[in-house]
Amino acid sequence: MARLFGTDGVRGLANADLTPELALSVAAAAARVLAEHDRSHRPVALVGRDPRASGEMLEAAVVAGLSSAGADVLRVGVLPTPAVAFLVAALGADVGVMISASHNAMPDNGIKLFAAGGHKLPDSVEDEIEQKMLTHDGRPTGAAIGRVRDVEDAEVQYVEHLLKITPHRLEGIKVVVDCANGAASIAAPDAYRRAGAEVVEINSTPDGLNINDNCGSTHLDVVRAAVLEHGADLGIAHDGDADRCLAVDAQGNEVDGDQIMAVIAVAMRDAGELTDNTLVATVMSNLGLHIAMREQGIALRTTGVGDRYVLEELRAGGFALGGEQSGHVVLPAHATTGDGLLTALRLMARMAETGRSLAELAGVMSRLPQVLINVRVSDKAVVAKDTSVNDAVAEVTAELGDAGRVLLRPSGTEQLVRVMVEATSHEAAESAARRLAGVVSSVH
């Protein structure tokens, strides 16, 4: 049977793949596993969600599942994913549940679990939960049934935490924030205003159906237009659960996750906060980030694709900053997961501290043209071992030299090989990528 938990929890089409029955079963099993791990007290679970319509239904199922297994439940309502992770630690909960499908379209939803302290649940515990779903232990009755209460000041606690760790006030900065009609719709404008910025908020009126609908970090044209219309210094675009953000400068140019990490890494180095002068990123980060960090005397460690690998490297090495090109940035001293609001506040604080525009700061890094081609294959494992493919990669790599890069990566879920090439010009990158894609597609 296929593993229920994916790279970011359980996700699927709400009420079809992800049903209330499944949500209840996952939650009850999680509570039972927690109780078996520590019998010294009754488990406490914290539950939050994004504003998509199905979240109301799934929240009810998750709360019922947790309490039916004997866990007390703290319900925090609509909040960003990083707020849920923070509150798990701040309120001493044993587990956190975030009901969200992040940047996915409204019909989808998901269940993401956090361990005590707000950290991502280990694979081994997820496996235990899956096994526990197959058993039918007796349920508690009477006073042993879990109780449910709402945390009325959850958003306030989270925003106050962000304000305490923002290194510089934001007076003089005008920002457009696109909340994607998602979980950040209250917290993000509130945090930025209280930090001192002048805020123009857009797509901050969620109705359960409009989350990520032609807005947010997957549709930057919207925030770009608003920045130009309002003469703002920058725009910040969140995704549906606000665990990441992308930006645009005053001229409407995109500032991606690599550039955001470069700006924050230099700021943290200058403040003596960048452990071992090291940044952690994935293999998909642009070669321009490697070049920029080398020029700034900052080491760049790379991991496989996915926030879990970045988090593992950060924790293993005790490093202070890591993230992905998508805008998922982690600062372990202040957050246990990617936090789009924290990232945006750090970016704006650097602007306020230096008096420099976002375009100037982002100019520390030049993005090399990057071309990505997805090649459908019959067996990606065969492609990985094919001599002609390996020879072609070596040949193109030699031709590009230090001014380019080649990366072939099998899809984790489909029979696809992703061919990525970076070069000094788009034409050179596209030519090399198409050449390699042709070799890959010829393998049988």
Side-chain angles (χ1 to χ4, degrees), residues 77-438:
V78 174
L79 277 181
T81 290
V84 170
F86 163 73
L87 289 166
V88 168
L91 300 179
D94 299 288
V95 67
V97 184
M98 179 64 186
I99 302 165
S100 174
S102 188
H103 61 278
N104 285 28
M106 180 276 296
D108 290 345
N109 217 324
I111 297 174
K112 184 172 184 175
L113 301 178
F114 291 100
H119 295 283
K120 190 175 179 68
L121 210 62
D123 289 351
S124 58
V125 177
E126 290 180 343
D127 291 341
E128 280 187 67
I129 291 170
E130 288 197 31
Q131 287 300 311
K132 186 63 71 175
M133 290 170 66
L134 302 175
T135 66
H136 300 280
D137 301 341
R139 293 178 176 177
T141 57
I145 294 172
R147 305 298 298 273
V148 182
R149 71 178 178 89
D150 293 326
V151 181
E152 302 292 349
D153 65 343
E155 188 264 341
V156 172
Q157 288 191 54
Y158 171 59
V159 170
E160 287 183 349
H161 160 68
L162 292 176
L163 295 174
K164 285 177 186 175
I165 59 177
T166 299
H168 201 284
R169 293 285 298 170
L170 307 184
E171 276 80 11
I173 290 180
K174 184 175 183 178
V175 59
V176 173
V177 54
D178 185 342
C179 301
N181 290 315
S185 293
I186 294 175
D190 184 25
Y192 304 156
R193 284 195 181 100
R194 290 180 60 189
E198 179 184 351
V199 178
V200 177
E201 57 185 273
I202 61 174
N203 299 310
S204 58
T205 54
D207 61 10
L209 307 177
N210 58 3
I211 186 171
N212 300 320
D213 186 12
N214 292 311
C215 57
S217 60
T218 55
H219 298 86
L220 289 181
D221 285 348
V222 181
V223 72
R224 179 180 292 114
V227 165
L228 297 175
E229 177 188 349
H230 293 279
D233 298 300
L234 78 160
I236 295 292
H238 292 293
D239 62 337
D241 70 335
D243 66 349
R244 60 190 178 98
C245 73
L246 294 175
V248 298
D249 64 24
Q251 291 74 45
N253 300 307
E254 178 183 352
V255 178
D256 71 6
D258 285 341
Q259 292 168 294
I260 290 170
M261 285 191 289
V263 172
I264 296 175
V266 171
M268 292 178 69
R269 180 205 61 192
D270 292 350
E273 298 175 339
L274 193 65
T275 306
D276 293 340
N277 275 351
T278 297
L279 169 67
V280 178
T282 77
V283 293
M284 292 303 289
S285 277
N286 193 277
L287 180 59
L289 180 63
H290 292 252
I291 295 170
M293 293 299 93
R294 186 164 61 241
E295 291 174 348
Q296 293 292 323
I298 296 172
L300 181 62
R301 297 177 73 101
T302 55
T303 73
V305 177
D307 67 298
R308 65 167 51 220
Y309 302 113
V310 173
L311 284 163
E312 286 172 5
E313 185 69 17
L314 287 169
R315 295 181 73 178
F319 301 120
L321 177 65
E324 299 179 280
Q325 194 179 56
S326 62
H328 189 277
V329 177
V330 185
L331 291 96
H334 307 299
T336 57
T337 188
D339 189 330
L341 281 74
L342 171 58
T343 301
L345 286 165
R346 282 279 168 150
L347 192 62
M348 290 187 280
R350 184 60 169 174
M351 292 171 64
E353 175 194 5
T354 61
R356 299 171 67 192
S357 69
L358 180 55
E360 289 179 275
L361 292 172
V364 70
M365 173 191 154
S366 296
R367 281 185 294 186
L368 269 68
Q370 187 179 79
V371 173
L372 177 66
I373 300 176
N374 292 322
V375 183
R376 190 160 294 280
V377 297
S378 56
D379 190 335
K380 57 194 176 187
V382 171
V383 172
K385 299 175 182 177
D386 187 81
T387 303
S388 64
V389 171
N390 293 328
D391 288 347
V393 169
E395 187 177 318
V396 172
T397 300
E399 290 172 5
L400 294 172
D402 293 336
R405 187 167 66 113
V406 174
L407 178 66
L408 263 63
R409 187 171 67 88
S411 166
T413 57
E414 302 176 83
Q415 287 296 340
L416 290 176
V417 173
R418 308 191 194 283
V419 178
M420 190 272 284
V421 177
E422 292 168 341
T424 52
S425 71
H426 180 81
E427 293 74 18
E430 185 169 28
S431 174
R434 291 194 180 282
R435 185 167 133 205
L436 289 172

